[in-house]
Amino acid sequence: MITIKNLTKIYDKGRTVALRNIDLDIEDTEFVSIMGTSGSGKSTLLNMIGGLDVPNEGTIEVMGENLSKIKLSNYRRETLGFVFQLHNLIPNLTCLENIELPLFGNSNSSSQMKDKAMNLLRAVDLDEFANKHPKYLSGGEMQRVAIARALVNNPKVILADEPTGQLDSENSEMIMDLLEEKQKETNATLIVVTHDFEIAKRADKIIKIRDGQIES
Ligand SMILES: Nc1ncnc2c1ncn2[C@@H]1O[C@H](COP(=O)(O)OP(=O)(O)OP(=O)(O)O)[C@@H](O)[C@H]1O
Ligand SMILES: [Mg+2]
């Protein structure tokens, strides 16, 4: 599903080697968690799988396609759901409109988009906030909206960078239940970066990164 070969990422003209010769295979429908200390390269790895950043060396293949050879904007829209460490909601759109965003550019009517977005908002138990702007929500609620937005396209690959970083344990469980439920429903591959071992151990496999390398 995802095949990474000899991946290296260097920042600051060589001063920071964020990832060093990483090889990694992630199976179709697998749930993998990534752990490691701050600065070890977790977000860098996720961003490159998500087509948000490009490697200096090495290749990433997702569903048989080399990311350096395809149009990343299409890949992000059609294949991926990305949950960021900070929710990244658009402040001047309502919650419902934020969730509808990834559906633009696909062939959906506006009522279909609204229905899909509403279903996801219901799944995160926030339907009453549909027409409110994000600033009226708590941090945990914003993160739940961000997750609804990441899932609205039924992505084949779900990437989440510390999706529960700012949440209490009850909300964290709800978010993880939702991510896993959606993953199973759509047979997606799920990759979650986390500091929380309780979250990490829910995965089929835990990958540990240290100083830009995978610990075996
Ligand atoms: N855009 C950038 N420019 C320069 N250096 C960067 C950039 N992004 C990350 N780095 C550096 O690359 C290394 C890996 O960073 P990364 O964000 O991947 O760590 P992380 O494991 O996600 O950490 P955290 O747990 O704190 O989120 C760090 O040394 C960081 O300072
Ligand atoms: Mg990070």
Side-chain angles (χ1 to χ4, degrees):
M1 181 70 182
I2 300 177
T3 306
I4 295 177
K5 290 203 177 101
N6 194 35
L7 190 71
T8 295
K9 179 66 184 179
I10 298 168
Y11 288 115
D12 290 336
K13 301 193 176 77
R15 271 186 293 255
T16 308
V17 182
L19 294 175
R20 198 185 297 266
N21 309 111
I22 290 219
D23 290 311
L24 182 62
D25 274 308
I26 296 173
E27 306 293 329
D28 195 11
T29 75
E30 200 170 22
F31 170 15
V32 167
S33 63
I34 300 179
M35 298 195 83
T37 51
S38 182
S40 57
K42 306 181 297 296
S43 295
T44 304
L45 178 60
L46 210 66
N47 290 346
M48 288 199 289
I49 297 172
L52 297 170
D53 205 347
V54 292
N56 295 80
E57 250 182 73
T59 55
I60 304 173
E61 277 185 15
V62 179
M63 299 182 349
E65 304 260 28
N66 184 333
L67 293 195
S68 70
K69 304 218 164 94
I70 60 171
K71 198 163 177 209
L72 291 175
S73 55
N74 290 350
Y75 163 69
R76 284 195 299 265
R77 194 179 65 239
E78 289 159 12
T79 309
L80 273 191
F82 206 119
V83 184
F84 296 92
Q85 192 155 4
L86 295 169
H87 53 76
N88 280 356
L89 295 176
I90 313 264
N92 52 356
L93 296 181
T94 66
C95 292
L96 193 70
E97 289 163 344
N98 264 285
I99 299 170
E100 283 179 83
L101 264 188
L103 297 170
F104 282 94
N106 298 359
S107 51
N108 291 290
S109 70
S110 63
S111 68
Q112 281 172 323
M113 294 206 303
K114 203 167 180 175
D115 285 350
K116 285 185 184 177
M118 227 21 234
N119 282 339
L120 266 300
L121 209 45
R122 232 171 263 128
V124 293
D125 208 13
L126 290 174
D127 32 329
E128 78 219 73
F129 290 100
N131 299 314
K132 290 219 165 67
H133 288 81
K135 69 178 172 191
Y136 298 108
L137 277 64
S138 72
E141 288 164 347
M142 288 188 213
Q143 194 60 326
R144 277 148 60 192
V145 174
I147 284 174
R149 181 181 59 185
L151 298 178
V152 73
N153 259 340
N154 290 325
K156 273 291 163 212
V157 178
I158 306 169
L159 304 177
D161 194 349
E162 307 239 20
T164 62
Q166 309 170 71
L167 307 184
D168 57 36
S169 59
E170 197 181 323
N171 269 304
S172 296
E173 288 215 356
M174 180 186 182
I175 289 299
M176 287 310 301
D177 289 345
L178 179 71
L179 282 174
E180 284 184 61
E181 189 187 306
K182 197 75 187 174
Q183 179 213 4
K184 294 208 170 73
E185 187 187 308
T186 58
N187 286 318
T189 301
L190 172 63
I191 307 178
V192 176
V193 169
T194 182
H195 279 114
D196 182 346
F197 187 63
E198 290 302 310
I199 302 278
K201 73 184 190 194
R202 297 170 70 130
D204 303 314
K205 190 156 83 189
I206 300 179
I207 293 168
K208 292 194 183 127
I209 299 196
R210 183 175 179 160
D211 293 336
Q213 290 185 299
I214 291 176
E215 278 188 308
S216 48

